[in-house]
Amino acid sequence: MTTIFDAPEDFAATALAGFADIYSRHVRLVRGGVVRATIVPAGKVCVIIGGGSGHYPAFAGYVGPGMADAAVAGDVFASPSTAAIARVCRQANRGGGILLGFGNYAGDVLNFGVAAERLVAEGIDVRILPVTDDVASAPADSIGKRRGIAGDLVVFKIAGAAAEAGLSLDEVERVARHANANTVSFGVAFAGCTLPGAANPLFTVAKGRMALGLGIHGEPGIKEEAIVSAGELASLLTDRLLAERPVGAARVAAVLNGLGSTKYEELFVLWTAVSTRLKNAGLEIVAPEAGEYVTSLDMQGCSLTLMWLDAELETYWTAACDTPVLKRGGEIRTELATNVIANEDAAPIYGPSTDAGRTGAACIAGLISRVADALKDAEEDLGRIDALAGDGDHGQGMRRGSAAAREAADHAVAAGAGAASTLAAAGDAWADRAGGTSGAIWGLLLRAWSTALSDDEVIDEAAAAKGARAALDGVTRLGRARLGDKTLVDALVPFVETLESAVSAGKPLRTAWVGAAAAAHAAADATAALTPKLGRARPLAERSVGHPDAGAVSLALAARVVGEAL
């Protein structure tokens, strides 16, 4: 159980600050992450990695010469926000382009992808690399759907070494994708993990049993079996991975990874059997590692990662690096950076607005405040629904995001902003504070909605309906969810269509909105019969059937509260 903390919601930020203080030779703290403490040559490709906190030493522990140039850190088990990713990238950029690496989770794909779009629009060449090593999460013919777990270490090691060698962005991307395609992992858990401040673990494993194919965000395994001896466990892990051995593969990199509460001595015992199994399979093991590299808070368990090596991959796998968690090879000559890190925390400046625009802004701020209160009250229920097949953090994320949106909207109103600027500011703050998939989606939703509003005019029925359609288009384009995928979109589509129909029929906004909210509520309830096709719930689809989607439920709740307040 995670027992050492002050305010649970400050756990991730405080831990990152402590890490940066201890490892100041390697990293410097920036808002939302860390950058290398040493001077990075101008023109070098920057490898920037990240994901949720709770996985230490992933991801900040990989920063240093020979590996990553920066890491972005979200809240515990939540993707960092689009704004945080873009901010850290700007701090680290040296002009040679950026490779963004992350585990293949819906929130990370969305946030890193949107951040890449923003940076490309600013003139920075950015490529994205989702790691897809977890064989338990999708079959070999659907590798693009696999999660990223401890394979993060080996893929980012290869990418970092290629960038340190001076390769171009095209070549660093090629080598990193080649490494990812040759990396597989499989894990087991003997006990679940507990979020800071939570009374119970996100999942439990019966005494004497182990969960197979677990994720690293508190997701349960795909099935349970009786705990076996170290030799039998080694067979289970290696057999699953050797089944995907490429023809002719003779050399392999191996990482035996502890998930947070497994003793190193246990890993060493297991390694003796793993090593024997791999050698008996005719494989030569190159520079193996055993220890904690991608954890899941205090989860008890382990995973095995293999990377099938060719000459190119082996060169970069064994290349020198110097990071808090991994040091290899000879000394890499470096010099500590002394430049002052730019402050991006300046208060936003809003354009001119009229009395009508400021009246609309005040209305929006009031509605967001009502929504924030409702989501705070619903936090436990939303978390419980989410935990049935996910990591249980949806309620927490919605509370944090809506509270940040309320604060941002209030500040915008106080600064004299109009309706469009106020709603956009609220969306950005929601995404930045909530993190994760839901934070990114709500940030997109509100910012897209704001494009149909004005800082100068009254918000009328037509503008509200146009904004709703823009929100739906933005979420489906970047989030890639469709009707029937068991996501927020299943409630958003009927809400938007009902609102548009009622407005076209000449109904006043409140009447139209209340009807649309009712349609969203019915649709959210109907998601109980659906099977999830996206996100962390997908590998555990059968656990979700019979229960509504948390994202759809929270959207319907927000819509109802707004309708009641209009």
Side-chain angles (χ1 to χ4, degrees):
M1 185 172 188
T2 310
T3 55
I4 300 176
F5 54 86
D6 291 316
E9 62 187 38
D10 295 333
F11 180 84
T14 306
L16 186 66
F19 162 81
D21 189 40
I22 290 172
Y23 292 103
S24 58
R25 183 176 73 83
H26 292 92
V27 302
R28 292 200 289 173
L29 185 68
V30 296
R31 187 180 169 208
V34 295
V35 298
R36 270 171 61 167
T38 53
I39 294 174
V40 178
K44 177 187 176 297
V45 171
C46 283
V47 175
I48 301 175
I49 60 178
S53 296
H55 305 303
Y56 186 81
F59 297 90
Y62 302 166
V63 175
M67 283 193 72
D69 296 280
V72 196
D75 280 321
V76 175
F77 295 171
S79 166
S81 69
T82 296
I85 296 164
R87 186 166 53 240
V88 173
C89 285
R90 294 186 193 103
Q91 297 280 10
N93 179 40
R94 296 297 292 150
I98 293 171
L99 179 71
L100 276 176
F102 51 90
N104 189 35
Y105 297 88
D108 294 299
V109 171
L110 184 57
N111 279 304
F112 280 89
V114 175
E117 285 190 354
R118 291 187 184 179
L119 293 166
V120 168
E122 296 172 13
I124 303 173
D125 194 352
V126 181
R127 316 290 172 84
I128 60 173
L129 175 69
V131 177
T132 55
D133 59 302
D134 177 23
V135 303
S137 54
D141 60 359
S142 300
I143 289 177
K145 294 182 178 180
R146 286 181 170 176
R147 302 176 292 201
I149 51 175
D152 287 350
L153 175 74
V154 295
V155 174
F156 298 155
K157 170 64 176 72
I158 298 297
E164 200 73 33
L167 271 62
S168 68
L169 181 58
D170 286 343
E171 280 296 285
V172 172
E173 180 186 14
R174 179 192 64 78
V175 171
R177 291 190 182 282
H178 180 46
N180 182 61
N182 281 276
T183 302
V184 288
S185 300
F186 187 72
V188 300
F190 310 111
C193 57
T194 305
L195 294 172
N200 299 299
L202 291 173
F203 73 93
T204 58
V205 181
K207 187 176 181 179
R209 308 281 289 177
M210 60 182 179
L212 276 60
L214 64 138
I216 57 170
H217 298 90
E219 310 99 314
I222 54 175
K223 65 177 181 177
E224 289 187 5
E225 292 184 1
I227 291 177
V228 295
S229 67
E232 292 172 297
L233 179 57
S235 296
L236 186 154
L237 295 173
T238 55
D239 289 351
R240 189 67 183 264
L241 302 184
L242 289 172
E244 299 196 14
R245 178 182 181 178
V247 175
R251 297 169 70 81
V252 67
V255 176
L256 186 56
N257 175 64
L259 287 163
S261 290
T262 301
K263 292 289 292 179
Y264 273 54
E265 288 90 342
E266 293 179 274
L267 295 177
F268 299 153
V269 168
L270 179 58
W271 175 254
T272 61
V274 168
S275 176
T276 299
R277 292 280 301 175
L278 295 177
K279 290 173 183 176
N280 287 344
L283 287 166
E284 184 172 348
I285 306 168
V286 179
E289 298 287 344
E292 291 185 343
Y293 296 102
V294 180
T295 61
S296 184
L297 282 177
D298 60 332
M299 185 182 290
Q300 185 181 10
C302 62
S303 63
L304 177 64
T305 296
L306 300 180
M307 178 170 60
W308 318 109
L309 296 174
D310 56 21
E312 181 179 47
L313 292 178
E314 185 169 338
T315 295
Y316 294 126
W317 173 239
T318 57
C321 66
D322 183 8
T323 74
V325 68
L326 189 65
K327 182 173 176 60
R328 280 198 176 163
E331 179 183 359
I332 302 176
R333 288 187 169 274
T334 57
E335 183 180 347
L336 286 176
T338 58
N339 63 300
V340 177
I341 295 176
N343 177 20
E344 292 196 21
D345 293 336
I349 299 174
Y350 301 103
S353 62
T354 65
D355 287 344
R358 290 189 291 273
T359 298
C363 175
I364 286 170
L367 294 174
I368 290 174
S369 181
R370 297 280 191 98
V371 169
D373 287 339
L375 290 173
K376 180 180 179 180
D377 292 341
E379 177 180 0
E380 184 175 344
D381 285 342
L382 293 174
R384 176 183 50 77
I385 295 171
D386 186 42
L388 291 167
D391 55 16
D393 68 347
H394 182 74
Q396 182 185 74
M398 293 297 287
R399 172 181 60 78
R400 291 179 178 179
S402 59
R406 167 162 52 193
E407 183 178 356
D410 288 346
H411 285 171
V413 169
S421 295
T422 296
L423 188 58
D428 288 348
W430 191 315
D432 201 24
R433 185 67 187 95
T437 309
S438 64
I441 288 174
W442 274 85
L444 272 172
L445 188 155
L446 297 181
R447 178 164 269 282
W449 206 314
S450 75
T451 62
L453 307 184
S454 167
D455 286 338
D456 302 325
E457 300 174 0
V458 171
I459 303 173
D460 60 14
E461 286 80 0
K466 184 179 179 182
R469 173 57 62 176
L472 176 59
D473 289 346
V475 168
T476 52
R477 179 178 70 86
L478 291 166
R480 299 180 295 180
R482 298 293 183 268
L483 267 179
D485 285 349
K486 196 164 189 174
T487 69
L488 166 148
V489 168
D490 289 301
L492 183 57
V493 168
F495 173 85
V496 172
E497 292 178 347
T498 304
L499 183 68
E500 288 177 328
S501 177
V503 168
S504 296
K507 293 182 179 180
L509 181 57
R510 183 181 187 282
T511 302
W513 192 290
V514 168
H521 180 77
D525 286 346
T527 61
L530 299 177
T531 300
K533 298 182 177 64
L534 293 174
R536 293 180 191 162
R538 180 183 54 80
L540 302 168
E542 71 283 355
R543 297 175 184 263
S544 176
V545 175
H547 305 281
D549 176 69
V553 170
S554 59
L555 181 122
L557 171 61
R560 177 181 61 78
V561 169
V562 170
E564 292 171 350
L566 281 174

